[in-house]
Structure formats: structure tokens, C-alpha cells
PDB file of all heavy atoms in Angstrom:
ATOM      1  N   GLU A   1      -4.446 -34.133  90.694  1.00 81.00           N
ATOM      2  CA  GLU A   1      -3.902 -34.592  89.489  1.00 81.00           C
ATOM      3  C   GLU A   1      -3.329 -36.012  89.637  1.00 81.00           C
ATOM      4  O   GLU A   1      -2.546 -36.201  90.643  1.00 81.00           O
ATOM      5  CB  GLU A   1      -2.920 -33.636  88.952  1.00 81.00           C
ATOM      6  CG  GLU A   1      -3.472 -32.252  88.699  1.00 81.00           C
ATOM      7  CD  GLU A   1      -4.488 -32.280  87.485  1.00 81.00           C
ATOM      8  OE1 GLU A   1      -4.216 -33.061  86.614  1.00 81.00           O
ATOM      9  OE2 GLU A   1      -5.451 -31.418  87.473  1.00 81.00           O
ATOM     10  N   TYR A   2      -3.504 -36.890  88.687  1.00 84.00           N
ATOM     11  CA  TYR A   2      -2.911 -38.187  88.830  1.00 84.00           C
ATOM     12  C   TYR A   2      -2.584 -38.678  87.388  1.00 84.00           C
ATOM     13  O   TYR A   2      -3.563 -38.707  86.490  1.00 84.00           O
ATOM     14  CB  TYR A   2      -3.750 -39.163  89.552  1.00 84.00           C
ATOM     15  CG  TYR A   2      -3.201 -40.648  89.639  1.00 84.00           C
ATOM     16  CD1 TYR A   2      -2.157 -40.815  90.575  1.00 84.00           C
ATOM     17  CD2 TYR A   2      -3.761 -41.574  88.938  1.00 84.00           C
ATOM     18  CE1 TYR A   2      -1.592 -42.100  90.691  1.00 84.00           C
ATOM     19  CE2 TYR A   2      -3.176 -42.827  88.963  1.00 84.00           C
ATOM     20  CZ  TYR A   2      -2.071 -43.045  89.971  1.00 84.00           C
ATOM     21  OH  TYR A   2      -1.489 -44.286  90.050  1.00 84.00           O
ATOM     22  N   ASP A   3      -1.314 -39.106  87.127  1.00 85.00           N
ATOM     23  CA  ASP A   3      -0.958 -39.558  85.760  1.00 85.00           C
ATOM     24  C   ASP A   3      -0.954 -41.180  85.762  1.00 85.00           C
ATOM     25  O   ASP A   3      -0.104 -41.837  86.331  1.00 85.00           O
ATOM     26  CB  ASP A   3       0.456 -39.114  85.478  1.00 85.00           C
ATOM     27  CG  ASP A   3       0.900 -39.343  84.107  1.00 85.00           C
ATOM     28  OD1 ASP A   3       0.247 -40.236  83.383  1.00 85.00           O
ATOM     29  OD2 ASP A   3       1.933 -38.734  83.640  1.00 85.00           O
ATOM     30  N   VAL A   4      -2.034 -41.662  85.146  1.00 86.00           N
ATOM     31  CA  VAL A   4      -2.092 -43.124  85.088  1.00 86.00           C
ATOM     32  C   VAL A   4      -1.006 -43.793  84.320  1.00 86.00           C
ATOM     33  O   VAL A   4      -0.514 -44.905  84.694  1.00 86.00           O
ATOM     34  CB  VAL A   4      -3.550 -43.486  84.507  1.00 86.00           C
ATOM     35  CG1 VAL A   4      -3.698 -45.019  84.306  1.00 86.00           C
ATOM     36  CG2 VAL A   4      -4.661 -42.929  85.337  1.00 86.00           C
ATOM     37  N   GLN A   5      -0.547 -43.079  83.218  1.00 85.00           N
ATOM     38  CA  GLN A   5       0.504 -43.719  82.465  1.00 85.00           C
ATOM     39  C   GLN A   5       1.732 -43.872  83.293  1.00 85.00           C
ATOM     40  O   GLN A   5       2.512 -44.777  83.088  1.00 85.00           O
ATOM     41  CB  GLN A   5       0.736 -42.817  81.257  1.00 85.00           C
ATOM     42  CG  GLN A   5      -0.397 -42.741  80.246  1.00 85.00           C
ATOM     43  CD  GLN A   5      -0.808 -44.031  79.687  1.00 85.00           C
ATOM     44  OE1 GLN A   5       0.047 -44.905  79.479  1.00 85.00           O
ATOM     45  NE2 GLN A   5      -2.047 -44.329  79.463  1.00 85.00           N
ATOM     46  N   ALA A   6       2.070 -42.895  84.140  1.00 85.00           N
ATOM     47  CA  ALA A   6       3.289 -42.894  84.882  1.00 85.00           C
ATOM     48  C   ALA A   6       3.209 -43.738  86.128  1.00 85.00           C
ATOM     49  O   ALA A   6       4.212 -44.406  86.498  1.00 85.00           O
ATOM     50  CB  ALA A   6       3.676 -41.429  85.355  1.00 85.00           C
ATOM     51  N   PHE A   7       2.060 -43.767  86.825  1.00 87.00           N
ATOM     52  CA  PHE A   7       1.934 -44.442  88.067  1.00 87.00           C
ATOM     53  C   PHE A   7       1.061 -45.658  88.112  1.00 87.00           C
ATOM     54  O   PHE A   7       0.934 -46.283  89.164  1.00 87.00           O
ATOM     55  CB  PHE A   7       1.553 -43.489  89.149  1.00 87.00           C
ATOM     56  CG  PHE A   7       2.464 -42.260  89.282  1.00 87.00           C
ATOM     57  CD1 PHE A   7       1.877 -41.007  88.874  1.00 87.00           C
ATOM     58  CD2 PHE A   7       3.693 -42.371  89.730  1.00 87.00           C
ATOM     59  CE1 PHE A   7       2.696 -39.853  88.977  1.00 87.00           C
ATOM     60  CE2 PHE A   7       4.500 -41.172  89.722  1.00 87.00           C
ATOM     61  CZ  PHE A   7       4.035 -39.944  89.446  1.00 87.00           C
ATOM     62  N   GLY A   8       0.515 -46.009  86.975  1.00 88.00           N
ATOM     63  CA  GLY A   8      -0.437 -47.228  86.985  1.00 88.00           C
ATOM     64  C   GLY A   8      -1.837 -46.938  87.419  1.00 88.00           C
ATOM     65  O   GLY A   8      -2.138 -45.819  87.964  1.00 88.00           O
ATOM     66  N   ARG A   9      -2.678 -47.917  87.075  1.00 90.00           N
ATOM     67  CA  ARG A   9      -4.031 -47.687  87.601  1.00 90.00           C
ATOM     68  C   ARG A   9      -4.209 -47.681  89.049  1.00 90.00           C
ATOM     69  O   ARG A   9      -3.636 -48.382  89.748  1.00 90.00           O
ATOM     70  CB  ARG A   9      -4.882 -48.897  86.978  1.00 90.00           C
ATOM     71  CG  ARG A   9      -6.325 -48.799  87.160  1.00 90.00           C
ATOM     72  CD  ARG A   9      -7.070 -49.941  86.504  1.00 90.00           C
ATOM     73  NE  ARG A   9      -6.909 -49.827  85.006  1.00 90.00           N
ATOM     74  CZ  ARG A   9      -7.291 -50.766  84.182  1.00 90.00           C
ATOM     75  NH1 ARG A   9      -7.682 -52.036  84.600  1.00 90.00           N
ATOM     76  NH2 ARG A   9      -7.255 -50.550  82.806  1.00 90.00           N
ATOM     77  N   PRO A  10      -5.052 -46.566  89.467  1.00 93.00           N
ATOM     78  CA  PRO A  10      -5.182 -46.624  91.013  1.00 93.00           C
ATOM     79  C   PRO A  10      -5.782 -47.876  91.572  1.00 93.00           C
ATOM     80  O   PRO A  10      -6.601 -48.550  90.988  1.00 93.00           O
ATOM     81  CB  PRO A  10      -6.236 -45.420  91.137  1.00 93.00           C
ATOM     82  CG  PRO A  10      -6.075 -44.597  89.854  1.00 93.00           C
ATOM     83  CD  PRO A  10      -5.787 -45.675  88.813  1.00 93.00           C
ATOM     84  N   GLN A  11      -5.429 -48.206  92.837  1.00 94.00           N
ATOM     85  CA  GLN A  11      -5.776 -49.384  93.490  1.00 94.00           C
ATOM     86  C   GLN A  11      -6.578 -49.003  94.747  1.00 94.00           C
ATOM     87  O   GLN A  11      -6.521 -47.887  95.206  1.00 94.00           O
ATOM     88  CB  GLN A  11      -4.573 -50.170  93.826  1.00 94.00           C
ATOM     89  CG  GLN A  11      -3.600 -50.633  92.718  1.00 94.00           C
ATOM     90  CD  GLN A  11      -4.324 -51.643  91.787  1.00 94.00           C
ATOM     91  OE1 GLN A  11      -4.602 -52.755  92.259  1.00 94.00           O
ATOM     92  NE2 GLN A  11      -4.596 -51.187  90.486  1.00 94.00           N
ATOM     93  N   ARG A  12      -7.259 -49.995  95.256  1.00 94.00           N
ATOM     94  CA  ARG A  12      -7.994 -49.851  96.513  1.00 94.00           C
ATOM     95  C   ARG A  12      -7.668 -51.114  97.444  1.00 94.00           C
ATOM     96  O   ARG A  12      -7.723 -52.209  96.945  1.00 94.00           O
ATOM     97  CB  ARG A  12      -9.433 -49.714  96.316  1.00 94.00           C
ATOM     98  CG  ARG A  12     -10.354 -49.858  97.622  1.00 94.00           C
ATOM     99  CD  ARG A  12     -11.710 -49.527  97.392  1.00 94.00           C
ATOM    100  NE  ARG A  12     -11.870 -48.102  97.264  1.00 94.00           N
ATOM    101  CZ  ARG A  12     -13.126 -47.500  97.141  1.00 94.00           C
ATOM    102  NH1 ARG A  12     -14.200 -48.183  97.126  1.00 94.00           N
ATOM    103  NH2 ARG A  12     -13.133 -46.063  97.099  1.00 94.00           N
ATOM    104  N   ILE A  13      -7.452 -50.845  98.643  1.00 96.00           N
ATOM    105  CA  ILE A  13      -7.442 -51.906  99.662  1.00 96.00           C
ATOM    106  C   ILE A  13      -8.482 -51.548 100.775  1.00 96.00           C
ATOM    107  O   ILE A  13      -8.853 -50.427 100.960  1.00 96.00           O
ATOM    108  CB  ILE A  13      -6.165 -52.260 100.345  1.00 96.00           C
ATOM    109  CG1 ILE A  13      -5.665 -50.951 101.209  1.00 96.00           C
ATOM    110  CG2 ILE A  13      -5.079 -52.536  99.327  1.00 96.00           C
ATOM    111  CD1 ILE A  13      -4.561 -51.295 102.079  1.00 96.00           C
ATOM    112  N   LEU A  14      -9.080 -52.599 101.224  1.00 95.00           N
ATOM    113  CA  LEU A  14     -10.037 -52.450 102.428  1.00 95.00           C
ATOM    114  C   LEU A  14      -9.326 -52.986 103.713  1.00 95.00           C
ATOM    115  O   LEU A  14      -8.882 -54.087 103.727  1.00 95.00           O
ATOM    116  CB  LEU A  14     -11.396 -53.122 102.098  1.00 95.00           C
ATOM    117  CG  LEU A  14     -12.209 -52.535 100.897  1.00 95.00           C
ATOM    118  CD1 LEU A  14     -13.380 -53.426 100.707  1.00 95.00           C
ATOM    119  CD2 LEU A  14     -12.558 -51.116 101.158  1.00 95.00           C
ATOM    120  N   VAL A  15      -9.456 -52.214 104.781  1.00 96.00           N
ATOM    121  CA  VAL A  15      -9.008 -52.620 106.055  1.00 96.00           C
ATOM    122  C   VAL A  15     -10.226 -52.935 106.970  1.00 96.00           C
ATOM    123  O   VAL A  15     -10.986 -51.918 107.179  1.00 96.00           O
ATOM    124  CB  VAL A  15      -7.942 -51.637 106.663  1.00 96.00           C
ATOM    125  CG1 VAL A  15      -7.530 -52.125 108.105  1.00 96.00           C
ATOM    126  CG2 VAL A  15      -6.861 -51.380 105.841  1.00 96.00           C
ATOM    127  N   ARG A  16     -10.318 -54.075 107.455  1.00 95.00           N
ATOM    128  CA  ARG A  16     -11.529 -54.432 108.282  1.00 95.00           C
ATOM    129  C   ARG A  16     -11.079 -54.861 109.671  1.00 95.00           C
ATOM    130  O   ARG A  16     -10.075 -55.684 109.827  1.00 95.00           O
ATOM    131  CB  ARG A  16     -12.269 -55.570 107.623  1.00 95.00           C
ATOM    132  CG  ARG A  16     -13.509 -56.004 108.340  1.00 95.00           C
ATOM    133  CD  ARG A  16     -14.440 -56.835 107.419  1.00 95.00           C
ATOM    134  NE  ARG A  16     -13.821 -57.980 106.781  1.00 95.00           N
ATOM    135  CZ  ARG A  16     -14.517 -58.740 105.914  1.00 95.00           C
ATOM    136  NH1 ARG A  16     -15.671 -58.397 105.503  1.00 95.00           N
ATOM    137  NH2 ARG A  16     -13.783 -59.872 105.503  1.00 95.00           N
ATOM    138  N   THR A  17     -11.624 -54.178 110.745  1.00 96.00           N
ATOM    139  CA  THR A  17     -11.266 -54.536 112.177  1.00 96.00           C
ATOM    140  C   THR A  17     -12.481 -54.778 112.879  1.00 96.00           C
ATOM    141  O   THR A  17     -13.527 -54.172 112.577  1.00 96.00           O
ATOM    142  CB  THR A  17     -10.444 -53.461 112.739  1.00 96.00           C
ATOM    143  OG1 THR A  17     -11.213 -52.238 112.799  1.00 96.00           O
ATOM    144  CG2 THR A  17      -9.237 -53.077 111.880  1.00 96.00           C
ATOM    145  N   PRO A  18     -12.458 -55.592 113.933  1.00 95.00           N
ATOM    146  CA  PRO A  18     -13.635 -55.733 114.893  1.00 95.00           C
ATOM    147  C   PRO A  18     -13.935 -54.436 115.550  1.00 95.00           C
ATOM    148  O   PRO A  18     -13.089 -53.484 115.671  1.00 95.00           O
ATOM    149  CB  PRO A  18     -13.181 -56.729 115.841  1.00 95.00           C
ATOM    150  CG  PRO A  18     -11.897 -57.405 115.181  1.00 95.00           C
ATOM    151  CD  PRO A  18     -11.363 -56.413 114.424  1.00 95.00           C
ATOM    152  N   LEU A  19     -15.204 -54.304 115.939  1.00 93.00           N
ATOM    153  CA  LEU A  19     -15.548 -52.993 116.616  1.00 93.00           C
ATOM    154  C   LEU A  19     -14.831 -53.017 118.015  1.00 93.00           C
ATOM    155  O   LEU A  19     -14.620 -53.961 118.683  1.00 93.00           O
ATOM    156  CB  LEU A  19     -17.059 -53.091 116.985  1.00 93.00           C
ATOM    157  CG  LEU A  19     -18.052 -52.992 115.788  1.00 93.00           C
ATOM    158  CD1 LEU A  19     -19.513 -52.960 116.293  1.00 93.00           C
ATOM    159  CD2 LEU A  19     -17.785 -51.679 115.026  1.00 93.00           C
ATOM    160  N   GLY A  20     -14.321 -51.832 118.215  1.00 87.00           N
ATOM    161  CA  GLY A  20     -13.516 -51.573 119.413  1.00 87.00           C
ATOM    162  C   GLY A  20     -13.728 -50.155 119.878  1.00 87.00           C
ATOM    163  O   GLY A  20     -14.764 -49.451 119.507  1.00 87.00           O
ATOM    164  N   PRO A  21     -12.814 -49.632 120.594  1.00 86.00           N
ATOM    165  CA  PRO A  21     -12.838 -48.288 121.171  1.00 86.00           C
ATOM    166  C   PRO A  21     -13.066 -47.309 119.973  1.00 86.00           C
ATOM    167  O   PRO A  21     -12.419 -47.556 118.884  1.00 86.00           O
ATOM    168  CB  PRO A  21     -11.526 -48.018 121.872  1.00 86.00           C
ATOM    169  CG  PRO A  21     -11.050 -49.384 122.204  1.00 86.00           C
ATOM    170  CD  PRO A  21     -11.548 -50.312 121.185  1.00 86.00           C
ATOM    171  N   ARG A  22     -13.919 -46.263 120.140  1.00 83.00           N
ATOM    172  CA  ARG A  22     -14.270 -45.337 119.104  1.00 83.00           C
ATOM    173  C   ARG A  22     -12.957 -44.595 118.605  1.00 83.00           C
ATOM    174  O   ARG A  22     -12.098 -44.164 119.422  1.00 83.00           O
ATOM    175  CB  ARG A  22     -15.166 -44.395 119.635  1.00 83.00           C
ATOM    176  CG  ARG A  22     -15.591 -43.175 118.619  1.00 83.00           C
ATOM    177  CD  ARG A  22     -16.490 -42.198 119.256  1.00 83.00           C
ATOM    178  NE  ARG A  22     -16.745 -41.054 118.353  1.00 83.00           N
ATOM    179  CZ  ARG A  22     -17.629 -41.018 117.518  1.00 83.00           C
ATOM    180  NH1 ARG A  22     -18.578 -41.983 117.253  1.00 83.00           N
ATOM    181  NH2 ARG A  22     -17.796 -39.849 116.695  1.00 83.00           N
ATOM    182  N   GLY A  23     -12.703 -44.710 117.352  1.00 89.00           N
ATOM    183  CA  GLY A  23     -11.589 -43.991 116.813  1.00 89.00           C
ATOM    184  C   GLY A  23     -10.265 -44.779 116.695  1.00 89.00           C
ATOM    185  O   GLY A  23      -9.247 -44.250 116.310  1.00 89.00           O
ATOM    186  N   GLN A  24     -10.356 -46.005 117.138  1.00 94.00           N
ATOM    187  CA  GLN A  24      -9.152 -46.856 117.213  1.00 94.00           C
ATOM    188  C   GLN A  24      -8.422 -46.981 115.865  1.00 94.00           C
ATOM    189  O   GLN A  24      -7.275 -46.774 115.606  1.00 94.00           O
ATOM    190  CB  GLN A  24      -9.429 -48.177 117.810  1.00 94.00           C
ATOM    191  CG  GLN A  24      -8.138 -49.034 118.116  1.00 94.00           C
ATOM    192  CD  GLN A  24      -8.562 -50.428 118.692  1.00 94.00           C
ATOM    193  OE1 GLN A  24      -9.518 -50.989 118.421  1.00 94.00           O
ATOM    194  NE2 GLN A  24      -7.667 -50.814 119.692  1.00 94.00           N
ATOM    195  N   LEU A  25      -9.262 -47.428 114.809  1.00 96.00           N
ATOM    196  CA  LEU A  25      -8.787 -47.623 113.423  1.00 96.00           C
ATOM    197  C   LEU A  25      -8.447 -46.284 112.863  1.00 96.00           C
ATOM    198  O   LEU A  25      -7.269 -46.079 112.284  1.00 96.00           O
ATOM    199  CB  LEU A  25      -9.823 -48.265 112.572  1.00 96.00           C
ATOM    200  CG  LEU A  25      -9.480 -48.508 111.169  1.00 96.00           C
ATOM    201  CD1 LEU A  25      -8.185 -49.221 110.974  1.00 96.00           C
ATOM    202  CD2 LEU A  25     -10.629 -49.080 110.348  1.00 96.00           C
ATOM    203  N   GLY A  26      -9.170 -45.174 112.992  1.00 96.00           N
ATOM    204  CA  GLY A  26      -8.829 -43.916 112.546  1.00 96.00           C
ATOM    205  C   GLY A  26      -7.583 -43.343 113.092  1.00 96.00           C
ATOM    206  O   GLY A  26      -6.819 -42.682 112.402  1.00 96.00           O
ATOM    207  N   ALA A  27      -7.351 -43.539 114.325  1.00 96.00           N
ATOM    208  CA  ALA A  27      -6.177 -42.976 114.923  1.00 96.00           C
ATOM    209  C   ALA A  27      -4.972 -43.677 114.339  1.00 96.00           C
ATOM    210  O   ALA A  27      -3.904 -43.096 114.298  1.00 96.00           O
ATOM    211  CB  ALA A  27      -6.190 -43.254 116.536  1.00 96.00           C
ATOM    212  N   ALA A  28      -4.942 -45.025 114.124  1.00 96.00           N
ATOM    213  CA  ALA A  28      -3.866 -45.675 113.517  1.00 96.00           C
ATOM    214  C   ALA A  28      -3.563 -45.153 112.069  1.00 96.00           C
ATOM    215  O   ALA A  28      -2.370 -44.967 111.773  1.00 96.00           O
ATOM    216  CB  ALA A  28      -4.137 -47.180 113.489  1.00 96.00           C
ATOM    217  N   LEU A  29      -4.644 -44.959 111.350  1.00 97.00           N
ATOM    218  CA  LEU A  29      -4.422 -44.479 110.007  1.00 97.00           C
ATOM    219  C   LEU A  29      -3.926 -43.000 110.056  1.00 97.00           C
ATOM    220  O   LEU A  29      -3.144 -42.593 109.103  1.00 97.00           O
ATOM    221  CB  LEU A  29      -5.750 -44.566 109.221  1.00 97.00           C
ATOM    222  CG  LEU A  29      -6.247 -45.994 109.005  1.00 97.00           C
ATOM    223  CD1 LEU A  29      -7.719 -45.976 108.406  1.00 97.00           C
ATOM    224  CD2 LEU A  29      -5.311 -46.873 108.234  1.00 97.00           C
TER     225      LEU A  29
END
């Protein structure tokens, strides 16, 4: 459930990193 009126329109950001050890970005997130 998400109330647009209360919290605003949902946003998206993209995080881009160079290829590195498998799971490096996932582990940080």
C-alpha cells in the first residue's frame, strides 16, 4: 500500500558500478 497524496509520486534512482567481484553491489545494498 502506498499513499501518493501523503508521500508524493514514487521516484527511481539508478546506481551504476563497474563490473567487480560477484555480489559487491548487492552486498552493499
